[in-house]
C-alpha cells in the first residue's frame, strides 16, 4: 500500500525460493513443482490476492476479478489452484482461494482464514481513504504482480534440499527434515497410485500433531526429527548424521517403494513406541525413572537402542541393559565426558542385539570395551565433590541424582513416594547469598577465614549443598540460619536424605562430607564398570548373537568385587548369560562335576570370607556374606531361582547377583538357565570326613 502511494519507490525483494520438479506428472497434465523453501511467502501472496479479489468483486470490477483468478488458478474453470499447501493447512487455504469463507467470523477458524480476514479488513479500510478506490485497487494488484521479486533455485534429483536451504537461510528458521520426508513419501505414494489424502490421513496426520514439534530439553531438534532418525537407524542398522537425515531417508524410501503401505505402517507403529517411551506412558516405575534421567542428561543418541530393547525383549530381559546404559551415561555426564561419540556406538549395538542375545550382557560388554570411557566409582566420587550441579542446564539432572540417592538410601523395602515433576525443586542448604551473621566463619585468623569463605563459595552449587524440597517449604525458610532451617527440613520433608541431614551444617567441610555421602549412594545405585585387567567373560568370543566389534576389557578402574573372571569351558562352549539362552527351563549348564563340589566345611569358611563389596549400606549390612545369603535363599527355596528371584529373596542388587553368576564366582552355587534368564542352584556337597 505504501508503494501505491509512492510509485517512485523501488521493488521489494522477497528472497530465494527453492523448487524441485515433480517427476510423476503424466503427459498432457500441467507441470508440477515442489516448493522446498518459500511456502509461507507464496501462500501469503496467494491469500493477499484472494483478499484483493474479494474487494474487486464487491466493487463490481469484473476484469480485476478475472486477473486475480488467473493468478490463483491454472484454468479459467476455477477448479485447479496453482498452489497446493500441506494437507494439514489445506482446509483453510481452500476456503480462502475458493471464496467460500463465511461472512460471520467463528472462534475456531483456520489460520489462513484469519489472515484472509485481516488482509480484507486492511484493504477495505485503506480503500476508504483513496479518492479513486477502483484505480487504487488495480494499482495494488500491479504492485503484487510486478514489483515483488524472488530468486528461484531449481534442484535436481541428486541435490540435497535441506543442505541448500541451510546455506540460503543460515540465520532463519531451520527447515525440518521431517517436512521434506513427509512431502517425499506422499509424492511417492501418488506415483504408486495411492491417494495422497488417504495416505496422509491414515499414516502421517498423527505425526503432524503439535506435540511432535516440541524440542526436548537439551535437544536441538524437534521430537519428530529425533524419531525419524531413530526409526531410520533401527531399519538400516547404520549411522545417520544429525544434519543429513533427508538423503538417507530418501534412499530408504526408494528401497521400499514396492511396499509403501508396509513402510508407513512400520513408521506409525514405531512412532507409537517412541511416544510411549518419551512420555513414560505404560512404563514400569524403573523404566520411567530411566527415561526421566536420560531426558535430564539431554542425551537422545541412544534412543534407537532403547526403542529396540522395548520392541524386542521382555521387561525383565531389558532391565539389565537399561541399567548399564543409564550408569554409563550418568557417570560420564557427572565426570564431564563428551557425548560426541555416542551416535557412532548405536549401530554396532543394534547389530549385536539380535533376538536371541542376552541384552544385558551385550550392552554391558560393549560399553565396557577399551576406549569407551566408563567412569569408575572413584572418578564419580571425585567429580561430585566439585561438580556445579546448580548450573541452569543441570538442575533437572541434579534433581534426578538427588532422587536416585533417595531411592538408594530408602532401600527396596521402603514404601515408594511418588512426586509430580512440579512438586519438588532443587534448593540450597547453605544459601547462595549466605551472610556471616547467620552462617559464621569459625577460623583462627583472617587467612583461614578467607580460605573458608572461598571454599564455601566454590562448593555452594555442588550436590553436597543441594537438596530437593517443595517450593513452599523453601520459601518459608529463605536464607535463615541452619539452626532454623534444620528443624523445618526434618520436620516437613518425607525424604530420607533430608531426614538424615546433620544437626550441624555450617562449613565447607560439612558440604564436602554430605557430598561424599550422596556420592556413595549414587555410586552404589549405578551399575559399576568392570575393573581393569579382567578378561572378557567367555574367553575370546561372546555367545551367539552377542558379537560386537570392540568388545573387550573395560578401562582402568577400581575393583568393586574381589572376584576372578572365569573363561568358558574346555570344549569352547559359551558360558551362561553370554547370549545363548536355552529353550528348556531349568537346564543345567554348569560345567563343574561332583568331584569339584564344595564341602560343607569349605562353604562355611567361604561364607565368612565372601562378603559384599564393602560399600556402606544405609539399611544395615547383613550378618551373612554375599555367597552365604545366596546359598541360604536357594536352600530355603529348595530349587532353582533366577537372579531376579534371588534379589527379591535377599535384598541384594540384581546386577551384582547376575554378574557374579555370569562369572561363576559365588561359592557353592552353579549358574543355570530358568525361564530364559540366568539363574542359580546349589552345588552338590560332599560330606566332610
Amino acid at each position: 500500500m505504501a508503494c501505491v502511494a509512492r510509485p517512485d519507490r523501488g521493488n521489494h525483494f522477497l528472497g530465494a525460493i527453492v523448487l524441485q520438479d515433480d517427476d510423476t506428472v503424466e503427459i498432457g497434465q500441467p507441470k508440477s513443482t515442489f516448493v522446498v523453501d518459500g511456502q509461507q511467502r507464496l501462500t501469503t501472496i496467494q491469500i493477499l490476492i484472494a483478499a484483493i479479489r474479494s474487494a474487486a468483486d464487491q466493487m463490481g470490477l469484473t476484469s480485476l476479478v478475472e486477473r486475480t483468478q488467473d493468478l490463483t488458478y491454472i484454468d479459467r474453470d476455477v477448479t485447479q489452484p496453482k498452489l497446493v499447501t500441506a494437507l494439514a493447512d489445506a482446509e483453510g487455504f481452500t476456503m480462502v482461494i475458493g471464496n467460500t469463507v463465511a461472512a460471520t467470523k467463528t472462534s475456531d477458524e483456520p489460520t489462513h482464514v484469519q489472515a484472509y480476514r485481516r488482509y480484507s479488513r486492511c484493504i477495505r479500510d485503506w480503500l476508504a481513504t483513496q479518492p479513486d478506490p477502483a484505480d487504487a485497487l488495480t494499482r495494488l494488484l500491479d504492485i503484487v504482480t510486478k514489483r515483488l521479486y524472488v530468486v528461484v533455485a531449481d534442484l535436481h534429483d541428486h541435490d540435497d534440499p535441506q543442505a541448500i536451504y541451510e546455506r540460503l537461510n543460515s540465520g532463519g528458521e531451520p527447515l525440518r527434515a521431517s517436512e521434506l520426508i513427509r512431502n517425499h513419501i506422499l509424492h511417492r505414494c501418488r506415483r504408486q497410485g495411492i491417494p495422497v489424502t488417504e495416505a496422509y490421513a491414515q499414516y502421517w496426520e498423527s505425526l503432524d500433531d503439535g506435540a511432535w514439534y516440541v524440542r526436548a530439553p537439551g535437544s536441538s531438534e524437534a521430537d519428530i526429527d529425533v524419531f525419524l532418525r531413530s526409526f531410520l537407524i533401527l531399519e538400516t542398522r547404520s549411522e545417520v548424521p544429525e544434519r543429513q537425515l533427508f538423503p538417507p531417508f530418501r534412499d530408504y524410501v526408494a528401497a521400499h517403494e514396492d511396499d509403501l503401505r508396509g513402510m508407513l505402517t512400520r513408521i506409525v507403529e514405531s512412532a507409537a513406541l517412541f511416544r510411549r517411551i518419551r512420555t513414560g506412558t505404560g512404563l514400569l516405575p524403573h523404566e520411567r525413572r530411566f527415561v526421566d534421567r536420560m531426558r535430564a542428561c539431554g542425551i537422545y543418541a541412544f534412543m534407537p537402542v532403547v526403542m529396540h530393547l522395548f520392541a524386542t525383549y521382555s521387561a525383565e530381559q531389558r532391565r539389565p541393559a537399561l541399567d548399564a546404559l543409564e550408569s554409563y551415561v550418568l557417570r560420564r555426564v557427572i565426570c564431564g565426558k563428551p557425548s560426541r561419540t555416542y551416535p557412532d556406538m548405536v549401530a554396532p549395538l543394534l547389530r549385536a542385539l539380535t533376538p536371541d542375545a542376552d541384552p544385558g550382557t551385550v550392552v554391558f560388554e560393549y560399553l565396557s570395551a577399551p576406549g569407551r570411557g566408563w567412569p569408575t566409582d572413584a572418578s564419580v566420587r571425585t567429580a561430585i565433590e566439585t561438580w556445579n550441579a546448580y548450573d541452569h542446564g543441570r538442575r533437572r539432572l541434579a534433581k534426578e541424582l538427588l532422587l536416585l540417592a533417595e531411592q538408594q538410601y530408602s532401600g527396596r523395602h521402603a514404601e515408594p513416594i511418588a512426586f509430580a515433576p512440579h512438586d519438588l525443586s532443587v534448593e540450597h542448604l547453605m544459601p547462595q547469598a549466605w551472610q556471616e551473621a547467620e552462617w559464621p566463619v569459625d577460623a583462627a585468623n583472617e587467612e583461614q577465614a578467607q580460605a573458608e569463605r572461598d571454599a564455601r563459595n566454590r562448593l555452594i552449587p555442588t550436590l553436597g549443598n543441594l537438596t530437593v524440597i517443595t517450593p513452599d517449604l523453601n520459601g518459608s525458610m529463605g536464607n535463615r540460619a541452619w539452626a532454623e532451617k534444620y528443624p523445618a527440613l526434618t520436620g516437613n520433608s518425607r525424604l530420607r536424605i533430608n531426614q538424615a541431614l546433620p544437626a550441624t551444617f555450617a562449613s565447607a567441610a560439612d558440604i564436602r562430607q554430605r557430598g561424599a555421602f550422596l556420592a556413595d549412594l549414587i555410586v552404589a545405585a549405578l551399575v559399576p564398570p568392570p575393573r581393569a585387567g579382567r578378561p572378557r567373560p567367555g574367553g575370546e568370543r561372546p555367545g551367539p548373537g552377542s558379537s560386537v566389534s570392540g568388545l573387550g576389557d573395560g578401562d582402568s578402574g577400581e575393583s568393586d568385587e574381589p572376584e576372578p573372571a572365569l573363561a568358558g569351558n574346555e570344549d569352547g562352549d559359551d558360558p551362561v548369560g553370554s547370549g545363548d539362552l536355552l529353550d528348556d527351563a531349568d537346564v543345567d549348564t554348569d560345567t563343574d562335576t561332583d568331584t569339584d563340589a564344595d564341602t560343607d566345611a569349605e562353604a562355611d569358611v567361604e561364607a565368612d570370607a565372601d562378603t559384599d563389596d564393602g560399600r556402606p549400606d544405609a539399611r544395615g549390612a547383613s550378618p551373612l556374606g554375599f555367597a552365604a545369603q545366596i546359598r541360604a535363599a536357594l536352600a530355603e527355596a529348595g530349587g532353582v531361582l533366577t537372579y531376579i528371584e534371588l534379589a527379591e529373596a535377599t535384598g541384594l542388587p540384581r546386577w551384582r547377583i547376575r554378574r557374579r553368576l555370569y562369572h561363576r564366582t559365588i561359592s557353592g552355587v552353579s549358574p543355570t538357565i530358568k525361564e530364559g534368564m540366568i539363574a542359580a542352584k546349589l552345588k552338590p556337597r560332599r560330606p566332610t570326613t
Side-chain angles (χ1 to χ4, degrees), residues 584-608:
D584 298 326
D586 299 341
V587 176
D588 186 12
T589 60
D590 186 22
T591 58
D592 292 340
T593 63
D594 288 346
T595 58
D596 294 326
D598 297 323
T599 64
D600 290 338
E602 290 169 340
D604 291 339
V605 172
E606 290 180 358
D608 294 331

Side-chain angles (χ1 to χ4, degrees), residues 155-203:
L155 304 185
H156 300 289
D157 289 341
H158 62 274
D159 292 325
D160 181 356
Q162 189 174 15
I164 293 174
Y165 176 92
E166 290 173 353
R167 292 191 185 98
L168 294 174
N169 298 273
S170 58
E173 181 68 18
L175 177 66
R176 290 193 175 96
S178 57
E179 297 173 350
L180 293 172
I181 292 169
R182 176 197 61 201
N183 295 341
H184 180 72
I185 290 176
L186 295 177
H187 165 58
R188 307 319 289 182
C189 284
R190 181 169 62 178
R191 183 172 185 175
Q192 293 293 329
I194 303 173
V196 172
T197 53
E198 175 190 328
Y200 178 80
Q202 184 174 353
Y203 300 109

Side-chain angles (χ1 to χ4, degrees), residues 419-501:
F419 298 97
H422 59 275
D423 286 345
L424 297 175
S425 61
V426 178
E427 304 296 346
H428 295 83
L429 297 177
M430 183 181 291
Q432 296 183 84
W434 62 274
Q435 300 294 325
E436 292 195 29
E438 292 82 15
W439 301 82
V441 174
D442 184 13
N445 52 56
E446 179 57 29
E447 181 179 357
Q448 293 181 6
Q450 188 57 47
E452 169 65 17
R453 296 185 193 103
D454 293 341
R456 286 186 185 185
N457 291 331
R458 286 194 305 270
L459 296 173
I460 285 291
T462 63
L463 210 60
N465 190 50
L466 300 177
T467 193
V468 279
I469 54 177
T470 63
D472 289 343
L473 177 57
N474 180 64
S476 68
M477 294 187 302
N479 292 342
R480 296 178 184 175
W482 185 248
E484 298 178 68
K485 295 181 76 170
Y486 175 72
L489 282 167
T490 56
N492 292 282
S493 175
R494 290 182 293 162
L495 296 182
R496 288 168 176 81
I497 57 171
N498 288 338
Q499 294 291 327
L501 285 167

